[in-house]
Amino acid sequence: MPKVVLGRPLSKVVIIGLGLIGSSFARGLKKWGLCEEIVGCARSSSTLEKGLDLGVIDTAEKDLSLAVQGADLVFLSMPIGATEKILSTIAPYLGENTIVTDAGSVKGCVVEAAKRVFGEVPENFIPGHPIAGSEKSGVDAGTSGLFLHHKVILTPVSGHSPEAALTVTALWEAMGANVILMDPGTHDKILAATSHLPHLLAYSLVDTMAKDDESLDIFRYAAGGFRDFTRIAASDPTMWHDIFLANRAATLEALDEFTEDLALLRKAVDTGNSQDMLGVFTRAQAAREHFSTILSQRAYLEKMSESMNEKQIEFILQPGSKVSGKLRVTGDKSISHRSIILGSIAEGETDIEGFLEGEDALATLQAFRDLGVVIEGPHQGRVKVYGVGLHGLKAPPGDLYLGNSGTSMRLLAGLLAAQDFSVTLTGDKSLTKRPMGRVATPLRLMGAQIDTGQDGSPPLAIKGNPSLSGIEYPMPMASAQVKSCLLLAGLYADSTTVIEPAPTRDHTERMLRGFGVSVDQRGDTVTLQGGQTLKACSIDIPADISSAAFFIVAGTIAKDSEILLEHVGVNPTRTGVIDILRLMGANISLLNERQVGGEPVADLLVKSADLKGIDIPEALVPLAIDEFPVIFVAAACAQGPTCLRGAEELRVKESDRIQVMADGLVSLGVDAQATPDGILINGKGDGQANVFTEGTVESHGDHRIAMSFSVASLRSSGEIRVLNCANVATSFPSFVSEAQKVGIQIIAKDVQ
Ligand code: NAP
């Protein structure tokens, strides 16, 4: 018995055109048991005989009028040029409930053909197009899995029967395809660019080369590129002749656009204009990577943490003893963002090393490509930005999509408010909920025109205003992003002053100075005069002290250990972790201190030390806010109590870090109590090797908690398992391998 498709089993399906697509459809129907009888129709008897021999069809019928009588569904899979003639032939014999659908690669012409034959498109006619296939043709070429995980576009027109559309959808889905609906015009425009133009170019290229005197040599020595690019020129000529005629207007439009761009590229090659050439190649390479993501059926710029979360990673740690060696941990995220932004509006070429290839910084990089900046890389942390100067950014082709990156959106809002074009900034679902009023409000005071969503949320529609006026702005909240946004807008105004209610990170000010811009800092007040030119420079992005902190504590608590952490950013707004650990007795030396792009950097030499518990000075709390989880691990290894107060903010980080750390410490045998604004830890550091017992700790998906308990294994008596560690990949993708390198006995296990 055939499967029931939407309430009724299909007894008879007629397939007209038994080539690659028609025979694959027939094979799919058979494999999934979707109908009782398949009747095949083709021009030649040999095709029909082969169809019968291969068991693809049950009955062969050359006479279409006979074939379609009593059919539940007719599937047209011959070249589209034959559609009108075939519809006219079968029209008088179709039953009232017979559904007609097709596979034609152009949809507007099929709909028009149906109108001409029937007067109007019949309600049971559901045009379709499977986005699957190959350059092969004929009844032998088909496979039952051709449509598996491929898209099928259906283009039903108004007045169609919903039941017919659902039946066709159900059939495709039963064969593993994903059905999407579209209007015929949109379908034809999209396919002109993505399928029809590439086929036209492939045919033309091979023909041009074949006419060449040296053609034999060309083909004999053809490299992979030629073969890859021209594979589709082996497709069936009649089918493609029909397609180009049927989709003439949309194909010509795509061809004209391409011809124009090709002429520009030709000129760039002719004149040796490297910047224009690299612009095209780097943009294309980045776009191709996005397309690959889409083609492999992953969401556009899918959030790594989400996909990693699905993976359910656990860290399994054996007790360790000693750590040693040297490490350069991943680059600082805040500085990575700013290196792209300032490099883009500088004069000249900025070379960046140590760029953090995380999603957020990559969103900023892509945004500047869209704004017309040529950016090479990243390749293993190296990026080259061809600056366009303060006034060289260009309107992007569409909205700027910034993924999950709040930093990108807030900083770009300031810069783009001052351009002579309009732009809309969008992001993923979670970014869309983040408050942007805090930047929109002061920017409006400078004369910016910004529309936000409800309650000041994204998208931000920015109408550029090249004549912003400077303001003096006392920030209502201590926010480095708001300050940076206003300073970037201030580059285009007369004089801009920002007053901080409490110290915030000053990476933007420092990097502006590194690019030759004078920024005046007096106490809590930062002032910038607009109109200054940024001069390109080289930036070796410091390693992130927040990532280095795990290894600083590892080197401190492990016995007989010494570890060198290279090129760590030691910006005074970030070094609270060093100050606190030193107060506890840690042995941390700053070697080779230097300035890189305005940022202080040093190599940190960390040696084992016996720690003592302390009352952590509240003034240091904001300077070490991200590093407390690992400081708590150090405190457990110290002699006597350590007390933290004034850190309520820790309760609203990626997890309630106070409670989660207290729970984890207790489950590993440490005396720890959470307090409303901090924690009290009674350190066990009585010279014993083992401070922590074996046990299992829940990280609640908080990357810093997961890495902190990994470090605890250096002083544990047995195996520690840390659950829910997938998010580590977002901030510190190489954590596990770096930890293994210095001697932490860690393995990451996918437990799904
Ligand atoms: P194909 O392998 O060349 O097969 C075409 C079939 O149609 C053959 O069986 C042929 O019969 C039959 N045929 C040709 N003219 C006919 C006519 N006037 N009346 C009855 N039958 C006729 O073609 P295909 O690749 O399967 O493509 C079929 C349709 O699918 C086309 O409309 C195409 O646009 C669309 N499509 C193709 C692809 C792809 O990648 N190939 C992808 C998506 C959609 P004989 O064997 O007797 O010559």
Side-chain angles (χ1 to χ4, degrees), residues 16-23 41-48 64 76-83 85-86 102-106 129-139 141 236 239-240 243:
I16 303 180
L18 209 54
L20 172 74
I21 299 296
S23 73
C41 307
R43 272 179 316 193
S44 64
S45 311
S46 61
T47 297
L48 292 176
L64 299 183
L76 307 180
S77 49
M78 65 298 147
I80 36 178
T83 306
K85 192 159 165 244
I86 287 181
D102 79 319
S105 305
V106 184
H129 177 202
I131 310 297
S134 77
E135 69 282 8
K136 300 195 184 103
S137 53
V139 64
D236 182 63
M239 181 175 109
W240 281 97
I243 290 173

Side-chain angles (χ1 to χ4, degrees), residues 509-527:
E509 297 90 302
R510 285 174 181 273
M511 197 180 283
L512 279 167
R513 289 192 196 104
F515 276 84
V517 172
S518 107
V519 184
D520 187 53
Q521 171 93 50
R522 282 171 210 204
D524 58 2
T525 304
V526 191
T527 302

Side-chain angles (χ1 to χ4, degrees), residues 73 139 181 186 194 245 251 256 259 268 296 388 451 575 624 631 671 739:
L73 184 131
V139 64
L181 299 178
T186 307
T194 55
L245 288 185
T251 305
D256 289 348
T259 310
S296 62
V388 296
D451 287 333
T575 48
I631 292 175
D671 177 6

Side-chain angles (χ1 to χ4, degrees), residues 113-133:
K115 278 187 195 157
R116 281 193 295 274
V117 172
F118 295 96
E120 59 179 14
V121 181
E123 61 168 2
N124 284 336
F125 184 51
I126 310 294
H129 177 202
I131 310 297

